[in-house]
Amino acid sequence: MAPLAATRHALRVPSQLRLRLFSTSSLRAAQEVKRLGVVGAGQMGLGIALVAALRAQVPVTLVDSSQKSLDKGVAFAEKLLAKDVSKSRITQEQADAARALLTPATSLDGLADADFVIEAVPEIPALKFDIFSKLAQICPQHAILATNTSSISITRIAASTTQDPTDTTNSSRVVSTHFMNPVPIQKGVEIISGLQTSQETLDAAVAFCKRMGKIPSVSADSPGFLANRILMPYINEAVICLDTGVGDRDSIDAIMKNGTNVPMGPLQLADFIGLDTCLAIMKVLHEETGDSKYRPGILLRNMVDAGWLGKKSGKGFYDY
Ligand SMILES: NC(=O)c1ccc[n+]([C@@H]2O[C@H](COP(=O)([O-])OP(=O)(O)OC[C@H]3O[C@@H](n4cnc5c(N)ncnc54)[C@H](O)[C@@H]3O)[C@@H](O)[C@H]2O)c1
């Protein structure tokens, strides 16, 4: 991995210019990803692993600390592949080939031969810091270490890979590939660099996401980045409207669905994202900016406390 080239100004480089800066060595690095590692086989990790196997046709080691989550994730991948075959979106051979590329594992040690790792564990800072400090030790020196975090600072995650902040050997290869949910359907992915991220790492992340068939947007390492900085206050406001009786659930979702041409209203979308994830992101926006406009709604907190996390727990604003 190339050393960090002075202070990064890349965050402020317009995306058109960034494409021109795209180096052939980064393209080669993305092409040369011979094994992807994905940490966390939940809804995001599973989707990332599946799309990488199907579109980039790269072998994937899918790691989850819970055997139950791993089994559930692999079964869900098989279900999604079978659905794609039944709808003639892919052939049975393509489905079989993608399934054969997925290798489940329960330990991070399984990532010792990964060229590119994408972490998708729950949005808990200490958990991510711990995983990145381990990945920096376990993965090969050339491996790119990406996080799917929705809101945690990439600079802080990168800092967790080293005891010596002046040594950027590991921190320069940390980047964010923030996929949108559901990964098999949404084309967008935000690529975010921390202060330490090298240009080569950033370019390789953009190139690998393109190899997965995605359309990358580059954003600065700022609370919520672009997508959640805009989306989460919108969802939070919808929850506050519900809580304070401005409108009922169906009216809130219907007006946004039918008024702004989105496929689902904000409360249904919150259920799909997971209310715990929505709350965690609002907390980060609130705490890191100190701006009261990001205060999480009381009902959002209460629903998470009740364990009503949306689709994944069977109950949220809707029943599943
Ligand atoms: N849900 C969304 O819409 C969405 C969208 C974009 C980004 N994200 C981000 O993606 C990440 C994952 O979110 P998700 O919705 O897939 O969560 P999830 O709860 O569905 O899945 C997380 C998985 O990580 C596993 N895990 C927990 N600790 C682990 C460890 N130490 N090692 C390995 N695996 C571990 C869990 O068993 C679980 O299977 C979060 O950072 C979230 O903010 C979520």
Side-chain angles (χ1 to χ4, degrees):
M1 189 58 48
L4 182 67
T7 309
R8 285 193 50 74
H9 295 294
L11 297 180
R12 292 175 198 90
V13 176
S15 55
Q16 298 91 328
L17 181 56
R18 183 176 298 289
L19 288 176
R20 269 185 261 133
L21 293 174
F22 214 78
S23 68
T24 47
S25 71
S26 311
L27 279 171
R28 203 166 47 241
Q31 294 299 336
E32 286 173 0
V33 175
K34 294 202 166 48
R35 178 162 289 275
L36 176 73
V38 175
V39 187
Q43 56 174 325
M44 296 306 292
L46 188 274
I48 293 164
L50 186 60
V51 174
L54 200 54
R55 304 283 165 226
Q57 295 168 355
V58 64
V60 184
T61 305
L62 179 59
V63 178
D64 200 296
S65 52
S66 152
Q67 184 66 51
K68 198 172 153 205
S69 296
L70 211 47
D71 294 343
K72 196 173 149 199
V74 171
F76 189 53
E78 287 168 352
K79 195 172 148 193
L80 289 178
L81 287 168
K83 192 171 162 198
D84 276 353
V85 173
S86 74
K87 301 222 164 189
S88 301
R89 289 195 281 253
I90 58 171
T91 64
Q92 186 63 51
E93 290 69 35
Q94 286 172 315
D96 292 344
R99 173 62 190 88
L101 288 172
L102 297 178
T103 307
T106 51
S107 165
L108 292 177
D109 292 335
L111 301 176
D113 61 348
D115 306 301
F116 199 116
V117 176
I118 302 176
E119 164 277 315
V121 302
E123 193 73 348
I124 302 166
L127 177 61
K128 297 208 189 255
F129 301 156
D130 180 54
I131 285 178
F132 272 80
S133 70
K134 288 177 178 150
L135 290 177
Q137 302 306 315
I138 293 167
C139 300
Q141 256 318 302
H142 69 269
I144 285 169
L145 309 177
T147 173
N148 193 53
T149 181
S150 304
S151 59
I152 300 166
S153 155
I154 313 308
T155 300
R156 285 178 69 201
I157 292 177
S160 69
T161 60
T162 180
Q163 300 285 335
D164 173 6
T166 62
D167 177 1
T168 59
T169 311
N170 288 321
S171 57
S172 65
R173 57 192 179 117
V174 175
V175 67
S176 171
T177 51
H178 179 217
F179 290 85
M180 302 291 118
N181 187 16
V183 184
I185 293 172
Q186 304 290 6
K187 289 241 176 259
V189 56
E190 267 183 305
I191 312 288
I192 305 126
S193 48
L195 200 59
Q196 311 94 322
T197 311
S198 71
Q199 185 71 45
E200 188 187 7
T201 299
L202 184 66
D203 290 347
V206 169
F208 186 68
C209 288
K210 285 185 174 176
R211 197 178 148 195
M212 286 175 67
K214 299 299 178 193
I215 301 172
S217 287
V218 174
S219 120
D221 187 15
S222 174
F225 318 125
L226 273 180
N228 286 321
R229 171 85 169 261
I230 298 166
L231 179 65
M232 286 303 157
Y234 158 76
I235 286 176
N236 193 47
E237 203 59 37
V239 178
I240 293 170
C241 283
L242 179 68
D243 197 19
T244 55
V246 181
D248 63 19
R249 179 195 74 181
D250 293 344
S251 294
I252 291 167
D253 274 357
I255 191 62
M256 299 317 294
K257 199 173 155 188
N258 300 312
T260 63
N261 204 21
V262 288
M264 55 178 88
L267 299 174
Q268 191 186 4
L269 179 59
D271 273 0
F272 273 75
I273 292 170
L275 302 193
D276 51 343
T277 300
C278 294
L279 178 62
I281 298 167
M282 284 310 296
K283 281 182 177 169
V284 169
L285 283 171
H286 190 215
E287 283 159 17
E288 295 205 0
T289 64
D291 192 330
S292 64
K293 76 178 177 182
Y294 296 120
R295 190 176 64 241
I298 293 165
L299 179 61
L300 183 62
R301 286 181 187 274
N302 282 345
M303 288 184 68
V304 172
D305 286 346
W308 299 347
L309 307 181
K311 191 164 183 278
K312 65 181 167 188
S313 71
K315 185 171 176 58
F317 294 109
Y318 295 79
D319 291 328
Y320 299 90

